[in-house]
């Protein structure tokens, strides 16, 4: 016990920015670090909005497919989506929004490399994050649609596959901790944990494509092709100075399916699939049109990027100046001033229209990883100066804060998309990603090092506490899924519906989360 107090005393001599922090009282330091933690969570929320926008652009990416009509022998050029929506939900959306937890766990593993005992910050955060994803995020999403609006899962088969792998992830974790090799993790267990993420992708894709023997025999109801409402296009016919642009004719594919010009250009504007047909002429004319669009596109993207920095300096918009309430205007200006550093930092993220959103997507993940590193340092300091068990902080504040991108992404999906697939898939798949990737990769790093260096496995110091939390999670999550199924049977949809029942469901989900947090925290603290 004395050695533990000595260790804590040495640890508390560490600081975040300046050494002078150690001269402050522990209470005041805890207050400052909690403020810093909250400010980081605000930054995570802001960068997640940018991440989600870039992710949508990645998913909207299309490719040209040339087909020959078997009857008329006419050449048709169509646009089809590059990404399968099911795979995009599991990889881009779920993995991206879980990146704060994954980054935090990997950073914790790297800092702990060479130790025979695993760090508790990463696993504790990921298990707590699973509960936050399942309960509070469902609670938010169920009340987001407008009163009376129903949004349901269009492909129940894919959801059931994702749900199975999500629950199996936590069964597998319990088997590792309590059944096969109690309190330790071997190299092969860590490797199998990571490989199961690939099995999840394969099984979900097989269900989406209705592969025989690998998919459930359920009626498939595909989600709409344009499941994200289209935004106004970036090119307007009136703004084009090229003569060729004036000859473009827009045709709705549903009204006229005979557009067979091989030099047609697909437009993303409008409600349906629209083709812009190039007038008869040589290929050089169509090249001029492409050049015209490229020049205008470059200028437009540069102007958007410039505007991102100008917006940082703008504390009042035209709409805010029209507010009659002076207090609301002051509050808005104050808030924008507080988050101005985040806004300036994130303005360096390129517009999401470049390279189909990939550059913005990757830059967003880099920023998320950087903030996660700061969150890790702050959490260590809070645990040090307060004496609170690191697992308790991981289950509560850290799990909720790092899961904030999940909440923002699911909320946006529930608001903007025409079905509940992505909003709910993000929740369910994030739980799977948390285990297979978020815990699997850090454990693989530590077990591989220990196997090579010491020929020893990785010990889990608080395996009993984690196992207890898993049991509580199973019990509460069963109640959550049962209510979603009941809403599907009675209301015909998982999200939305009558406002009263939506709020009752929301309160019930929050109650389940409180039960999980309280019981898990008491267990890891040794009170029960």
């Amino acid at each position: 016990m004395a050695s533990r107090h000595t260790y804590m005393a040495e640890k508390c001599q560490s600081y975040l920015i300046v050494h002078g922090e150690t001269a402050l009282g522990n209470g005041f330091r805890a207050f400052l670090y909690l403020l810093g933690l909250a400010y980081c969570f605000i930054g995570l929320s802001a960068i997640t909005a940018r991440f989600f926008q870039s992710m949508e652009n990645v998913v909207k990416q299309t490719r040209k497919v040339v087909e020959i009509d078997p009857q008329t022998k006419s050449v048709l050029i169509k646009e089809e989506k590059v990404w399968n929506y099911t795979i995009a939900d599991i990889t881009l959306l779920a993995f991206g929004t879980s990146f704060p937890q994954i980054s935090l766990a990997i950073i914790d593993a790297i800092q702990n490399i060479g130790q025979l005992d695993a760090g508790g910050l990463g696993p504790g955060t990921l298990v707590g994050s699973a509960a936050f994803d399942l309960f509070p995020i469902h609670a938010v999403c169920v009340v987001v649609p407008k009163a009376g609006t129903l949004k349901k899962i269009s492909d129940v088969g894919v959801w059931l596959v994702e749900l199975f792998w999500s629950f199996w992830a936590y069964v597998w974790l319990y088997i590792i901790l309590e059944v096969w090799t109690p309190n330790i993790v071997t190299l092969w267990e860590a490797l199998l944990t990571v490989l199961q993420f690939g099995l999840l992708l394969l099984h979900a894709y097989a269900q989406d494509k209705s592969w025989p023997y690998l998919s459930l025999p359920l009626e498939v109801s595909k989600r709409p092709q344009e499941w994200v409402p289209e935004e106004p296009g970036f090119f307007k016919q009136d703004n084009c100075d090229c003569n060729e642009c004036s000859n473009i004719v827009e045709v709705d594919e549903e009204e006229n399916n005979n557009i067979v010009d091989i030099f047609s250009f697909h437009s993303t504007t409008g409600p349906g699939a629209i083709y812009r047909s190039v007038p008869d002429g040589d290929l050089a004319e169509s090249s001029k049109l492409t050049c015209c669009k490229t020049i205008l596109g470059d200028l437009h993207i540069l102007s958007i990027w410039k505007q991102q920095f100008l917006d940082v300096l703008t504390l009042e918009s035209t709409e805010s100046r029209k507010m009659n309430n002076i207090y609301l205007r002051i509050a808005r200006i104050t808030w924008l001033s507080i988050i101005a550093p985040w806004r300036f930092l994130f303005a360096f993220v390129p517009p999401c229209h470049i390279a189909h959103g990939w550059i913005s997507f990757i830059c967003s993940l880099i920023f998320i990883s950087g903030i996660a590193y700061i969150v890790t340092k702050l959490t260590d300091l809070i645990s040090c100066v307060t004496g609170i068990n690191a697992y308790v902080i991981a289950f509560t504040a850290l799990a909720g804060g790092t899961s904030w991108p999940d909440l923002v992404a699911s909320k946006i999906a529930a608001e903007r998309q025409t079905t509940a697939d992505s909003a709910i898939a993000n929740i369910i798949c994030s739980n799977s990603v948390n285990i297979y990737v978020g815990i699997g990769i850090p454990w693989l790093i530590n077990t591989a090092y220990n196997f090579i260096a010491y020929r020893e496995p990785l010990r889990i110091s608080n395996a009993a506490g984690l196992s207890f939390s898993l049991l509580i999670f199973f019990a509460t999550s069963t109640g959550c899924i049962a209510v979603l199924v009941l809403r599907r049977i009675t209301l015909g949809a998982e999200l939305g519906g009558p406002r009263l029942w939506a709020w009752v469901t929301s309160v019930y989900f929050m109650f389940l989360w409180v039960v999980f947090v309280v019981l898990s925290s008491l267990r890891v603290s040794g009170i029960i």
Side-chain angles (χ1 to χ4, degrees):
M1 182 64 69
S3 60
R4 174 174 173 81
H5 284 301
T6 302
Y7 169 74
M8 294 297 291
E10 293 178 355
K11 185 178 180 182
C12 286
Q13 295 303 314
S14 60
Y15 54 90
L16 181 65
I17 301 176
V18 295
H19 187 270
E21 297 171 18
T22 57
L24 302 175
N26 284 345
F28 187 60
R29 289 181 67 186
F31 174 73
L32 292 179
Y33 297 147
L34 285 172
L35 283 181
L37 197 63
Y39 196 65
C40 287
F41 293 158
I42 293 174
L44 282 175
S45 177
I47 193 61
T48 300
R50 179 68 61 86
F51 156 79
F52 191 84
Q53 188 180 17
S54 62
M55 189 274 298
E56 283 186 346
N57 278 269
V58 171
V59 175
K60 286 180 182 179
Q61 182 180 353
T62 60
R63 60 186 174 188
K64 290 183 180 181
V65 177
V66 179
E67 296 181 355
I68 298 178
D69 193 311
Q71 297 179 351
T72 64
K73 304 301 181 182
S74 302
V75 178
L76 300 173
I77 294 183
K78 293 184 178 180
E79 295 281 335
E80 69 176 21
K81 299 291 184 182
V82 173
W83 277 89
N84 175 272
Y85 288 142
T86 298
I87 300 301
D89 283 340
I90 300 174
T91 54
L92 297 179
L93 184 58
F95 180 81
T97 54
S98 297
F99 203 71
Q101 300 97 300
I102 296 172
S103 298
L104 188 147
I106 293 176
I107 291 170
D108 186 49
I110 293 175
Q111 291 177 341
N112 198 63
I113 200 166
Q115 303 292 326
L116 293 179
D117 290 336
L121 194 59
T125 301
L126 290 164
V127 174
S129 175
F132 189 91
D133 287 346
L134 195 62
F135 304 129
I137 297 182
H138 266 125
V140 171
C141 290
V142 78
V143 298
V144 161
K146 295 180 180 179
T149 302
L150 293 171
K151 294 189 177 184
K152 66 178 182 179
I153 299 172
S154 63
D155 196 334
V156 178
V158 170
W159 178 69
L160 289 176
V161 169
E162 294 168 345
L163 186 64
F164 164 77
W165 283 100
S166 175
F167 273 89
W168 168 250
Y170 290 90
V171 172
W172 170 253
L173 188 60
Y174 185 85
I175 291 174
I176 291 177
L177 295 175
E178 295 292 337
V179 180
W180 277 0
T181 53
N183 302 327
I184 64 173
V185 178
T186 65
L187 176 61
W188 293 111
E189 288 173 337
L191 184 60
L192 286 174
T193 302
V194 176
L195 291 178
Q196 287 182 72
F197 181 68
L199 294 179
L200 163 62
L201 291 174
L202 179 62
H203 194 183
Y205 185 78
Q207 180 65 41
D208 181 73
K209 296 301 182 181
S210 300
W211 287 0
Y213 307 110
L214 293 178
S215 60
L216 299 173
L218 297 175
E219 182 181 354
V220 178
S221 175
K222 295 296 183 182
R223 56 174 104 173
Q225 182 71 5
E226 298 299 336
W227 55 284
V228 178
E230 291 291 350
E231 300 175 356
F234 292 102
F235 301 99
K236 295 184 179 179
Q237 199 167 328
D238 298 337
N239 295 335
C240 187
D241 295 328
C242 302
N243 294 330
E244 291 81 356
C245 293
S246 62
N247 295 325
I248 296 175
V249 179
E250 296 185 359
V251 181
D252 194 312
E253 189 182 39
E254 295 181 357
E255 296 178 358
N256 189 346
N257 292 322
N258 298 322
I259 302 299
V260 295
D261 191 347
I262 196 170
F263 300 120
S264 296
F265 290 91
H266 181 261
S267 171
T268 58
T269 60
I274 298 176
Y275 291 84
R276 293 184 173 182
S277 181
V278 179
D280 294 336
D282 59 19
L283 184 60
E285 293 184 1
S286 62
S287 299
K288 293 179 181 179
L289 174 59
T290 305
C291 179
C292 172
K293 291 180 66 177
T294 302
I295 294 173
L296 290 177
D298 292 341
L299 292 175
H300 185 75
I301 290 173
L302 289 176
S303 65
I304 292 176
W305 205 343
K306 177 182 177 182
Q307 188 62 40
Q308 290 179 181
F309 289 94
L310 294 178
D311 288 341
V312 178
L313 304 176
T314 304
L315 298 181
E316 274 199 293
S317 62
T318 304
E319 292 76 12
S320 63
R321 293 190 184 96
K322 296 179 181 178
M323 292 181 180
N324 295 326
N325 193 325
I326 185 64
Y327 298 105
L328 289 178
R329 291 182 61 184
I330 294 176
R332 178 181 174 83
I333 293 174
T334 303
W335 174 251
L336 292 178
S337 300
I338 292 174
I339 65 174
W342 288 129
R343 296 174 67 201
F344 175 77
L345 188 63
F346 299 152
F348 286 96
V349 177
C352 61
H353 314 295
I354 301 177
H356 302 291
W358 276 110
I359 298 179
S360 178
F361 183 86
I362 295 173
C363 289
S364 298
L365 292 183
I366 292 174
F367 276 112
I368 289 174
S369 181
I371 297 174
Y373 175 76
I374 300 175
V375 167
T376 303
K377 303 298 291 184
L378 286 170
T379 304
D380 285 337
L381 290 171
I382 292 173
S383 178
C384 173
V385 298
T386 61
I388 299 175
N389 189 302
Y391 276 97
V392 175
I393 298 176
F395 280 137
T396 54
L398 202 56
T402 55
S403 294
W404 200 254
D406 288 305
L407 189 150
V408 174
S410 290
K411 176 180 177 294
I412 294 173
E415 286 175 334
R416 298 187 57 190
Q417 297 174 8
T418 56
T419 70
D421 291 75
S422 287
I424 294 181
N426 177 50
I427 298 170
I428 301 300
C429 294
S430 291
N431 288 350
S432 301
V433 171
N434 284 344
I435 297 300
Y436 299 134
V437 180
I439 291 183
I441 290 181
W443 277 357
L444 186 60
I445 293 173
N446 288 145
T447 54
Y449 184 89
N450 288 359
F451 179 79
I452 296 173
Y454 311 120
R455 290 290 189 268
E456 292 285 342
L458 183 67
R459 293 197 293 259
I460 309 299
S461 58
N462 201 359
L466 282 175
S467 301
F468 179 84
S469 298
L470 290 174
L471 294 176
I472 298 299
F473 177 77
F474 288 142
T476 51
S477 60
T478 301
C480 175
I481 300 301
V483 169
L484 290 178
V485 173
L486 181 63
R487 284 177 57 86
R488 176 82 177 206
I489 296 173
T490 58
L491 300 177
E494 290 78 14
L495 305 182
R499 184 58 64 186
L500 174 62
W501 292 112
W503 277 106
V504 169
T505 306
S506 179
V507 172
Y508 171 70
F509 288 158
M510 291 302 299
F511 170 75
L512 292 178
W513 181 64
V514 172
V515 170
F516 169 82
V517 169
V518 170
L519 293 180
S520 298
S521 298
L522 292 176
R523 181 66 178 85
V524 297
S525 299
I527 299 177
I528 60 175

